[in-house]
Amino acid sequence: MSMHDDVSQILIDSPSLQARIRQLGAQISADYPPDSRPLLVCILKGAYMFLSDLTKEVTIPHKVDFMATSAYGGGLDSRGVVRLVLDLETNIRGRHVLLVEDIVDHGATINYLLRLLSTRNPASLRVCTLLNKPARREFDVPLDYIGFEIPDHFVIGYGLDIDEMYRNLPYIGVPTSELIERLIGHQGGIDGDDKPG
Ligand code: PRP
């Protein structure tokens, strides 16, 4: 039994991820002035794998830092309520900041982070997300760099989890209904609010 057996469909394979990340890295490197030393902020945990590949493709000098957020609960009532679990070490006043996310779904997490960080007076504040799932968007958030638009599937892999597992899959996949049933216990995760990532 392999973890791959718990995936019903590969939505984005590993070569496609790497090719797109190379393009994103080139675009970011061209957009920021060479001496602007942008700060790439990885939003843990889901973006850890994306950040580690993206930073290798950004060819201008830059720094990295980390933040972690967590949604309260899992039900519909929790929409928009985001908890800060880990804050930046860096003082971002006057710095060019690029938030690096694995997925923007309802938009609550990015909305929260943009509002929080803008109070710290960065020189610029942009968002780079590997995946954009607009179907369930509740917050109108500006996305500057998007890897892939995806349909309203529950997705796992390449940093995105189901019940904190399967983040290590090297591709973006759709879990089998049996896996969802086993780990979450109901089918709500497919189009409900037990969101991945
Ligand atoms: C996931 C994902 C994004 C957020 C997107 O994080 O990594 O940060 O949800 O959802 P939203 O657009 O509906 O806010 P999660 O809170 O599950 O934590 P994790 O990254 O540690 O898995």
Side-chain angles (χ1 to χ4, degrees):
M1 180 74 182
S2 141
M3 62 180 179
H4 302 291
D5 298 329
D6 291 322
V7 176
S8 64
Q9 182 194 354
I10 295 178
L11 216 54
I12 308 169
D13 63 20
S14 182
S16 303
L17 286 170
Q18 296 307 323
R20 184 69 186 118
I21 291 166
R22 270 196 296 280
Q23 290 175 342
L24 289 172
Q27 198 184 337
I28 291 165
S29 306
D31 287 354
Y32 285 88
D35 58 353
S36 62
R37 292 185 300 121
L39 180 73
L40 273 56
V41 175
C42 176
I43 311 304
L44 297 169
K45 306 175 190 128
Y48 76 97
M49 209 175 275
F50 179 38
L51 184 278
S52 79
D53 283 340
L54 182 67
T55 189
K56 287 177 274 187
E57 302 295 340
V58 174
T59 54
I60 58 170
H62 63 278
K63 299 185 178 185
V64 298
D65 204 342
F66 300 85
M67 294 181 90
T69 57
S70 174
Y72 273 122
L76 295 178
D77 290 347
S78 71
R79 271 183 197 155
V81 184
V82 177
R83 186 166 60 104
L84 188 64
V85 175
L86 174 73
D87 205 346
L88 292 171
E89 186 181 27
T90 313
N91 180 351
I92 61 167
R93 187 180 193 85
R95 299 288 309 266
H96 294 280
V97 175
L98 179 61
L99 300 182
V100 177
E101 258 291 22
D102 52 318
I103 187 167
V104 177
D105 186 358
H106 295 109
T109 304
I110 281 297
N111 182 60
Y112 169 82
L113 289 170
L114 288 175
R115 290 166 70 108
L116 174 69
L117 296 183
S118 63
T119 66
R120 300 179 187 179
N121 300 310
S124 70
L125 184 55
R126 294 183 187 167
V127 178
C128 174
T129 185
L130 179 65
L131 306 177
N132 182 30
K133 191 203 277 191
R136 302 198 298 172
R137 191 63 38 84
E138 304 253 335
F139 297 86
D140 186 21
V141 284
L143 303 178
D144 302 279
Y145 303 94
I146 296 172
F148 301 88
E149 300 268 350
I150 61 165
D152 191 10
H153 289 312
F154 191 133
V155 286
I156 56 174
Y158 201 74
L160 289 90
D161 74 302
I162 177 168
D163 198 22
E164 294 295 332
M165 290 180 285
Y166 296 81
R167 295 188 194 270
N168 57 316
L169 290 169
Y171 49 76
I172 300 291
V174 180
T176 61
S177 51
E178 290 79 13
L179 181 67
I180 294 170
E181 180 68 30
R182 195 162 79 237
L183 294 184
I184 296 180
H186 60 83
Q187 296 296 304
I190 293 175
D191 56 8
D193 217 54
D194 287 316
K195 60 185 170 52

